[in-house]
Amino acid sequence: MQDGRAPRIKNCAPAAFQVTAEQLLRDAQERQESQFRSPRQRVEDVEELHEYRGRKREEFEKRIRQTGGNIKEWLQYGNWEASQNEFPRARSVFERALDVDPRDVKLWLSYTDMELKSRNVQHARNLFDRAVTLLPRVDQLWYRYAYLEELLQNIPGARQVFERWMQWEPDDKAWQAYIKFEQRYEEHDRASAIYESWVAVRPESRVWVKWGKFEEERGNLTKAREVFQTALGCFRDEEEQIENAQAVFSAFAKMEARQKEYERARVIYNFALSRLPRSKSNALYAAYTQFEKEHGTRVTLEATVLGKRHIQYEEELSRDSRNYDVWFNYARLEEGALQDLRGENATAEEEEQAYGRVREVYERAIAQAPPGNEKRYWRRYIFLWLNYALFEEIETKHYARAREVYQTALKLVPHKQFTFAKLWILFARFEVRRMDLGAARKILGTGIGMCPKQALFKGYIQLEIDLREFDRVRTLYGRYIEYDPTNSSAWIKFAQLESQLGDYARARAIFELGISQSTLSMPELLWKKYIDFEVEEGERERARALYERLVVLSGHVKVWISYALFEAESMPAPRSTWEEDEDGETEVKMVEGNVDFARRVFDRGYKDLKSKSLKRERMALLLVWKKFEEERGTPADVAEVEDMMPVPCVTRRVDEETGQFVEDDDMLFKDEERQSNPTSSKFLQAAREWKNAKKSDDVLPPRPELAVEADASSDVASSHTGD
């Protein structure tokens, strides 16, 4: 069954008789039908020839009259006359056609071709001369004209044609054709002169580069260098000529590299990169980087990479000049380059130039002030000033300039809206390093008077502590707590200072004054530090009195727990009882705690929380109390506390919004249970005993008295358990 596909050829051997394409065409011509063959006319004598020519001329003339503007008819007419060797008539036809359309390039080319085919060279020259005079912007005519003269070995004539052509300032291909013409005859000086004329007409980078490569290829390196140097002198620093200068610099450096003049090439690259804008010289940097990878050292390669980073940062800043992170990176880059320069034992002039570059970056950065007077915009910006001042102080040792940077920054910040304590403190520290304590104190005093701030007080106090000026520290702490009496941390630091100075009475007075403040931010911290202070001094009675005052004031479960544990812990004896041994070391005696006092505090705390109906706080206290008894008490004490533990239960209440019963987790304490319902308490106690016994024995005999009590108290218990 056939599937419609063509049969596959099995015999691929060549045929015994081969048929060529020429034979196929000849057979087709011979077998052509007679009705499709062109008529043949055989001329027997001169009269028939004249008759034939007359008839053809009449046909051509008729067609020309009908379509006088159709140059194709004129071309056929003229070429036919030329085929009959009637050259005067052919010239007449072509001249008549030129009268119709003298700007038809095809007509001129056909006219000249006709003359050249008939070997009328002088006529062809005259025609080309007329054509290029009439149509000087048609390059094809000039090409044909020059080619004709060169073909006739008329080299001066061809050169004259090119010279006439170049006066019309044609495109680059024409100049290159002229140069190649001179190169074919090894007239290199003439070719160089043509290049000079070319760059005078078109002073573009590609022309200069071609000229330089030409001089390099002919081996005249001096002339090539002169060409490139002349080109660089022609390009000004205008933006539209930057790309041209970049191309010339790159070609100049690559030529020196090809000649193995690596130092010359490096100097050219560095000069170009220092002259051209960094944001416009990406290609030049790429070429320089490749050059250093091939022929440079590690140091020069790193310098090239830094240059590329410069371009990257400049581009980012052109998009957003207030991107302070980029300014930080830019400044670090320049400072890193300065450090590398020092490592290379650079001259003083080179270091000064590096300092100038860093200063330029910082000056440009601080000129980009943030918009508005909102501190969140200024936080990153102010660090630019600080880094600038530290650079002038540490790197350049220009202290007057660093002081000026600090002063300018302080004038710039709107202190009525916000301030930066770090700026004031670093300025003061700078003056301390310059051994001018009066100026440092004046700066910080001005800052506190103008815009008092917690960080300013802390910085000023720390400065005076470092200087061991404790009287000034006391004065500052007084102003600090006067400015913000609610700051517990300030009271604590002030008291700790007096404690470290050995003035315990003053420290105790400060603590007392602090806890008497009604609006402390975190009073528990101050109370704790006060109690810890008395404990460290061995004043148990004073610490106990503080706890008593605190439980009255607060009554928090944590206070009760801390109070109870304090009574049980051992503490140092009063400082007056401390003695020094033979080595001069102070021997601290320890006083044991009182466990019974601790139990009493636990009990008092439990009752106080119970009176306030704080169930979860009571549960937390019982857990700590139980752990305390496990560590320090007897099993009976532990059992007593466990007996006070609450039992989890569920209570039901009616939701006011939905009107439905809602179950809440709750705790039921035994003492409350006994007071409210003794029967239910007895029932729950029996239930717990039964549950504990069940855990120990798998089989438990029933207890009839439990069942009787359960029947009697089921209604009461349900009110507590919700069952």
Side-chain angles (χ1 to χ4, degrees):
M1 183 176 181
Q2 296 183 356
D3 54 357
R5 293 181 295 180
R8 300 175 64 182
I9 300 174
K10 297 182 179 180
N11 187 5
C12 298
F17 178 73
Q18 298 293 324
V19 180
T20 62
E22 182 182 359
Q23 184 176 355
L24 291 175
L25 293 175
R26 186 170 57 252
D27 292 345
Q29 184 71 18
E30 292 176 354
R31 296 177 183 179
Q32 187 176 7
E33 297 291 338
S34 59
Q35 58 180 343
F36 298 111
R37 293 180 183 178
S38 58
R40 292 184 178 182
Q41 183 176 359
R42 186 173 181 179
V43 179
E44 297 291 343
D45 52 14
V46 178
E47 293 181 0
E48 290 183 2
L49 178 61
H50 286 305
E51 182 182 358
Y52 165 72
R53 289 177 176 175
R55 187 170 60 253
K56 291 290 291 184
R57 289 190 180 102
E58 288 180 1
E59 292 178 1
F60 281 120
E61 291 292 341
K62 182 179 180 181
R63 282 154 52 184
I64 288 172
R65 285 195 300 271
Q66 292 176 352
T67 58
N70 191 353
I71 300 300
K72 184 178 179 181
E73 301 294 339
W74 290 100
L75 293 178
Q76 291 179 357
Y77 190 7
N79 291 327
W80 179 82
E81 292 289 358
S83 65
Q84 299 298 318
N85 293 326
E86 294 286 344
F87 297 110
R89 288 181 175 274
R91 293 189 186 101
S92 176
V93 172
F94 277 112
E95 291 295 336
R96 290 167 60 195
L98 288 175
D99 291 338
V100 175
D101 189 1
R103 296 186 176 276
D104 193 302
V105 178
K106 189 175 181 181
L107 180 59
W108 284 103
L109 294 177
S110 298
Y111 195 0
T112 55
D113 288 343
M114 184 270 293
E115 296 290 359
L116 290 174
K117 288 178 181 178
S118 60
R119 299 182 182 277
N120 296 322
V121 177
Q122 192 60 41
H123 283 283
R125 280 176 175 162
N126 295 336
L127 286 174
F128 274 122
D129 186 75
R130 290 170 57 195
V132 297
T133 303
L134 183 63
L135 303 173
R137 294 297 181 183
V138 180
D139 294 340
Q140 192 174 7
L141 297 174
W142 290 104
Y143 281 121
R144 291 285 190 91
Y145 194 6
Y147 177 70
L148 172 63
E149 297 295 347
E150 185 179 3
L151 190 64
L152 297 173
Q153 295 298 312
N154 185 11
I155 307 303
R159 187 176 290 117
Q160 185 179 5
V161 171
F162 275 115
E163 288 294 335
R164 289 178 58 191
W165 189 8
M166 296 305 110
Q167 292 178 1
W168 292 96
E169 299 180 2
D171 58 5
D172 295 342
K173 292 182 179 180
W175 291 96
Q176 290 176 354
Y178 191 9
I179 292 169
K180 289 180 180 179
F181 165 76
E182 297 292 356
Q183 285 181 321
R184 283 196 294 271
Y185 299 99
E186 298 183 356
E187 295 288 345
H188 300 297
D189 293 335
R190 289 181 177 274
S192 182
I194 297 169
Y195 271 115
E196 187 174 359
S197 302
W198 188 7
V199 296
V201 173
R202 287 189 181 85
E204 299 176 2
S205 60
R206 51 191 176 80
V207 182
W208 289 102
V209 171
K210 288 179 181 294
W211 189 7
K213 287 184 177 179
F214 166 76
E215 299 294 348
E216 179 189 2
E217 290 173 355
R218 63 181 286 201
N220 193 353
L221 296 179
T222 304
K223 182 66 175 178
R225 293 190 179 101
E226 182 182 350
V227 168
F228 282 117
Q229 292 171 0
T230 306
L232 295 175
C234 295
F235 294 126
R236 297 183 296 275
D237 295 335
E238 299 177 1
E239 184 175 356
E240 62 271 9
Q241 295 188 357
I242 289 176
E243 294 184 0
N244 291 332
Q246 187 176 167
V248 174
F249 275 120
S250 180
F252 194 4
K254 289 179 180 179
M255 184 199 74
E256 297 293 354
R258 286 193 295 269
Q259 301 300 323
K260 302 187 183 307
E261 295 287 347
Y262 302 126
E263 289 302 323
R264 283 178 175 268
R266 186 173 290 108
V267 169
I268 293 169
Y269 276 123
N270 291 328
F271 176 75
L273 295 176
S274 63
R275 178 180 175 183
L276 300 179
R278 292 176 177 175
S279 59
K280 302 290 185 179
S281 53
N282 292 334
L284 191 61
Y285 264 108
Y288 186 27
T289 304
Q290 186 63 30
F291 168 79
E292 291 295 349
K293 287 180 180 179
E294 295 177 357
H295 311 292
T297 61
R298 182 185 62 84
V299 177
T300 56
L301 182 59
E302 289 179 355
T304 308
V305 174
L306 290 178
K308 295 184 69 175
R309 294 287 296 276
H310 288 160
I311 296 177
Q312 176 185 350
Y313 291 146
E314 290 292 345
E315 290 179 353
E316 293 179 1
L317 292 174
S318 64
R319 294 191 294 267
D320 183 7
S321 60
R322 292 190 175 93
N323 190 344
Y324 300 122
D325 292 332
V326 177
W327 284 116
F328 280 120
N329 295 334
Y330 203 170
R332 292 193 195 101
L333 181 68
E334 293 292 354
E335 291 180 8
L338 174 62
Q339 297 297 333
D340 295 339
L341 197 63
R342 288 177 176 174
E344 298 173 5
N345 298 324
T347 61
E349 183 180 358
E350 292 176 344
E351 287 191 7
E352 191 62 32
Q353 292 177 356
Y355 290 145
R357 288 193 295 269
V358 179
R359 286 194 184 102
E360 180 187 359
V361 172
Y362 275 120
E363 290 292 339
R364 291 173 57 196
I366 61 179
Q368 305 298 326
N373 290 334
E374 295 187 25
K375 189 172 183 179
R376 59 193 179 97
Y377 297 128
W378 285 70
R379 283 194 174 94
R380 295 289 289 166
Y381 172 70
I382 204 65
F383 275 94
L384 288 171
W385 288 92
L386 298 178
N387 289 358
Y388 189 12
L390 292 174
F391 166 76
E392 294 291 352
E393 178 189 1
I394 299 172
E395 299 294 338
T396 67
K397 310 297 182 184
H398 201 314
Y399 305 113
R401 193 180 186 91
R403 185 179 291 108
E404 183 180 353
V405 172
Y406 279 120
Q407 292 172 350
T408 308
L410 287 175
K411 292 178 183 178
L412 187 65
V413 176
H415 300 289
K416 293 184 178 180
Q417 283 78 24
F418 57 86
T419 190
F420 293 95
K422 187 178 289 293
L423 180 60
W424 295 96
I425 294 170
L426 287 180
F427 191 12
R429 292 279 181 179
F430 165 76
E431 295 294 352
V432 171
R433 290 191 292 272
R434 303 309 308 148
M435 307 302 293
D436 193 349
L437 296 180
R441 292 189 176 108
K442 183 177 180 180
I443 291 168
L444 291 175
T446 304
I448 290 175
M450 185 182 298
C451 43
K453 190 178 179 182
Q454 181 178 352
L456 264 177
F457 279 109
K458 289 182 177 180
Y460 197 177
I461 289 170
Q462 187 60 44
L463 175 63
E464 297 295 352
I465 289 175
D466 295 340
L467 297 173
R468 299 297 186 266
E469 294 286 347
F470 298 111
D471 291 336
R472 291 181 177 272
V473 175
R474 288 190 177 100
T475 304
L476 288 173
Y477 268 122
R479 293 186 61 185
Y480 187 10
I481 60 179
E482 182 181 355
Y483 162 70
D484 186 10
T486 63
N487 192 339
S488 300
S489 177
W491 291 101
I492 293 170
K493 294 291 185 181
F494 193 7
Q496 287 178 346
L497 172 69
E498 298 296 348
S499 176
Q500 292 172 359
L501 296 176
D503 196 342
Y504 305 109
R506 185 188 289 268
R508 192 172 286 112
I510 293 171
F511 275 122
E512 286 291 340
L513 187 61
I515 62 177
S516 64
Q517 302 297 320
S518 59
T519 58
L520 283 175
S521 57
M522 299 180 70
E524 64 276 6
L525 294 179
L526 186 58
W527 279 95
K528 184 179 184 303
K529 291 295 182 181
Y530 192 6
I531 294 171
D532 292 343
F533 166 74
E534 297 294 357
V535 171
E536 291 175 0
E537 296 300 318
E539 300 290 343
R540 185 181 289 273
E541 293 299 330
R542 289 180 180 273
R544 184 180 292 116
L546 288 175
Y547 270 118
E548 291 292 341
R549 291 166 61 186
L550 186 56
V551 296
V552 173
L553 182 65
S554 173
H556 196 274
V557 61
K558 292 184 178 180
V559 178
W560 285 109
I561 293 173
S562 178
Y563 187 10
L565 297 178
F566 156 76
E567 293 291 357
E569 294 292 336
S570 58
M571 59 179 292
R575 188 179 293 272
S576 58
T577 62
W578 295 1
E579 298 179 357
E580 294 185 359
D581 55 9
E582 297 177 355
D583 298 333
E585 296 182 357
T586 303
E587 182 180 357
V588 180
K589 297 181 180 180
M590 301 298 294
V591 179
E592 297 293 333
N594 194 325
V595 178
D596 293 334
F597 283 1
R599 290 193 181 97
R600 294 174 190 172
V601 174
F602 274 122
D603 185 64
R604 287 175 57 197
Y606 179 80
K607 292 178 180 179
D608 181 66
L609 297 174
K610 177 182 176 182
S611 64
K612 298 176 182 177
S613 300
L614 301 175
K615 293 185 178 182
R616 298 189 181 278
E617 286 76 1
R618 288 161 64 190
M619 180 65 182
L621 186 138
L622 287 175
L623 292 174
V624 178
W625 192 358
K626 178 183 176 183
K627 184 177 180 181
F628 169 79
E629 295 295 353
E630 290 175 351
E631 294 176 355
R632 299 174 179 269
T634 62
D637 296 330
V638 176
E640 183 179 354
V641 176
E642 287 182 346
D643 190 56
M644 299 170 64
M645 288 289 182
V647 178
C649 63
V650 178
T651 58
R652 291 184 179 180
R653 62 181 178 85
V654 179
D655 191 358
E656 297 180 357
E657 296 182 358
T658 61
Q660 298 178 354
F661 284 100
V662 179
E663 294 183 352
D664 296 330
D665 294 334
D666 199 359
M667 290 181 291
L668 182 63
F669 288 85
K670 296 180 182 179
D671 49 0
E672 294 179 351
E673 181 184 358
R674 295 190 190 99
Q675 294 175 6
S676 61
N677 195 332
T679 306
S680 176
S681 175
K682 188 180 298 182
F683 166 74
L684 292 175
Q685 182 178 2
R688 282 194 295 271
E689 292 177 357
W690 176 80
K691 183 178 180 181
N692 294 333
K694 186 177 180 181
K695 290 181 180 178
S696 58
D697 299 331
D698 295 333
V699 180
L700 184 66
R703 294 179 60 186
E705 63 275 13
L706 181 61
V708 172
E709 294 177 359
D711 292 337
S713 59
S714 58
D715 296 334
V716 179
S718 62
S719 63
H720 293 280
T721 61
D723 295 337

